[in-house]
Amino acid sequence: MWVPNLPITLISAVAASAGAACIFKDFHGGPPYERDVRAEGKTVVVTGANAGIGKEAALEFATRGAKVFMACRDMEKCEEVRREIVMETKNKYVYCRPCDLANTTSIREFVERFKSEEPHLHVLVNNAGVMEPPTRITRDGFETQLGVNHMGHFLLTNLLLDTLKDSAPSRVVVVSCSAHRKGQIHKEDLNLTAKYDGRAAYAQSKLANVLFARELAKRTLDSGISVIAVDPGHTDTDLTRHLPMSKSFTRFFVYPLFWPVMKTPKIGAQVIIHAALDPKLKKCAGDYYVDMKLAEPSKEAQDFELSLWLWKVSERWTKLDQAAQQVRAA
Ligand SMILES: *[C@@H]1O[C@H](CO)[C@@H](O)[C@H](O)[C@H]1NC(C)=O
Ligand SMILES: *[C@@H]1O[C@H](CO)[C@@H](O)[C@H](O)[C@H]1NC(C)=O
């Protein structure tokens, strides 16, 4: 009796479908954002700019002529990517600056240095994100996903708000994703210490992103700052590096099944570029964009009482008032 050699059969099946998958992937990813929208004279900050869609976004901004500040935790990686970007784009106005979003002291230092170097900020891209990380608690004691994805960016944006206002028309692009729809704000236990669930914490942090964008827009109405929340789709980046994906079984057998429906980081970054530069999005007030199209976020995300509540709590956690006083005293 002939017994099929399972591994080989599997491998050839995967290989055979790879060609078809590539074609499908190209179409699924959607078209890139228009080439002719330039960014000369604009100063841009991108958090988490050394990998994934943050890196591709930084590259795109540099290609279009912007001055780009890469706010990253790992300076070695950042410098490597910065050199790559400068070589490829011939734009030398690309800089690495240390900013660890899991550390409020580091965020304050980043802002201080940025303001001492730059009078303007036209585009802030809150991109850095972690998903189910190995360490649950940031340096400040926040649950890591809420801490990095939301609290860190909350503080960063607020500390840069005066510069953004002075540079108007300016924009804040908040990278969320469809996981926000499964999210809930756990008012009684934002750190989820009682019963930790990494996935719920991730979804909560992504919902917090949309709530933050909407509340920020409300507070900066008529200031010339446009606020846009974006969903870059299921992008194939190392955001998923902490998932079982990195184990070899998942990597070789499960991952290929999902690969065709994931966008490349390059395509994922297009939604950021569109939100940051498209002339039609000059007056967004916390609108939510999926694939460069206006979309409705979840019902929770549209709850203004909730967004106000989260804002107040975030102010307290990040000690924003104290930070503001320090800035004024300096
Ligand atoms: C937090 O950032 C500050 C300022 O950069 C740094 O001195 C400190 O070591 C950082 N803490 C941790 C735990 O990384
Ligand atoms: C949870 O949140 C509070 C903020 O009120 C923080 O101070 C605390 O250290 C956090 N962490 C844990 C593990 O409870």
Side-chain angles (χ1 to χ4, degrees), residues 222-266:
D222 300 321
S223 67
I225 303 175
S226 181
V227 185
I228 306 114
V230 298
D231 169 8
H234 296 283
T235 312
D236 176 11
T237 68
D238 47 43
L239 177 71
T240 49
R241 65 191 176 272
H242 301 302
L243 296 182
M245 193 76 95
S246 38
K247 303 219 172 72
S248 54
F249 176 80
T250 338
R251 180 174 225 103
F252 289 109
F253 296 106
V254 180
Y255 181 72
L257 302 177
F258 288 100
W259 186 78
V261 294
M262 290 198 209
K263 297 176 192 174
T264 62
K266 197 161 198 68

Side-chain angles (χ1 to χ4, degrees), residues 17-63:
S17 53
C22 280
I23 295 165
F24 178 62
K25 192 177 172 89
D26 279 353
F27 282 105
H28 177 80
Y33 182 58
E34 288 151 53
R35 282 264 131 223
D36 54 349
V37 177
R38 304 286 304 170
E40 269 94 6
K42 286 193 199 293
T43 302
V44 179
V45 168
V46 182
T47 67
N50 62 7
I53 63 171
K55 171 182 168 181
E56 293 300 333
L59 176 72
E60 277 278 340
F61 282 122
T63 304

Side-chain angles (χ1 to χ4, degrees), residues 90-239:
K90 307 277 181 285
N91 177 347
K92 59 178 197 251
Y93 301 105
V94 181
Y95 308 94
C96 288
R97 293 291 178 263
C99 182
D100 179 358
L101 286 149
N103 178 345
T104 51
T105 310
S106 169
I107 296 167
R108 291 202 173 91
E109 284 184 5
F110 168 84
V111 172
E112 214 171 286
R113 179 166 175 195
F114 179 81
K115 287 183 176 176
S116 73
E117 295 176 318
E118 281 299 309
H120 301 297
L121 175 57
H122 303 99
V123 178
L124 170 63
V125 181
N126 291 344
N127 160 74
V130 287
M131 183 192 265
E132 300 185 40
T135 14
R136 277 200 205 158
I137 303 293
T138 69
R139 164 160 154 86
D140 303 284
F142 311 151
E143 184 281 318
T144 301
Q145 297 174 91
L146 188 71
V148 170
N149 303 356
H150 168 66
M151 293 292 174
H153 286 115
F154 173 88
L155 180 64
L156 177 70
T157 309
N158 273 290
L159 295 178
L160 288 169
L161 217 49
D162 47 356
T163 311
L164 282 161
K165 276 185 191 153
D166 291 345
S167 314
S170 53
R171 297 190 191 188
V172 177
V173 179
V174 178
V175 179
S176 180
C177 75
S178 58
H180 90 268
R181 296 185 191 283
K182 295 197 195 95
Q184 268 182 314
I185 298 296
H186 300 263
K187 278 190 174 182
E188 306 302 320
D189 182 15
L190 276 178
N191 289 320
L192 294 172
T193 26
K195 189 170 160 282
Y196 189 74
D197 175 345
R199 210 157 277 195
Y202 181 72
Q204 171 178 261
S205 76
K206 290 287 122 184
L207 172 58
N209 288 151
V210 186
L211 289 166
F212 167 66
R214 294 171 69 89
E215 183 66 25
L216 176 68
K218 224 168 69 174
R219 285 164 182 261
T220 54
L221 224 54
D222 300 321
S223 67
I225 303 175
S226 181
V227 185
I228 306 114
V230 298
D231 169 8
H234 296 283
T235 312
D236 176 11
T237 68
D238 47 43
L239 177 71

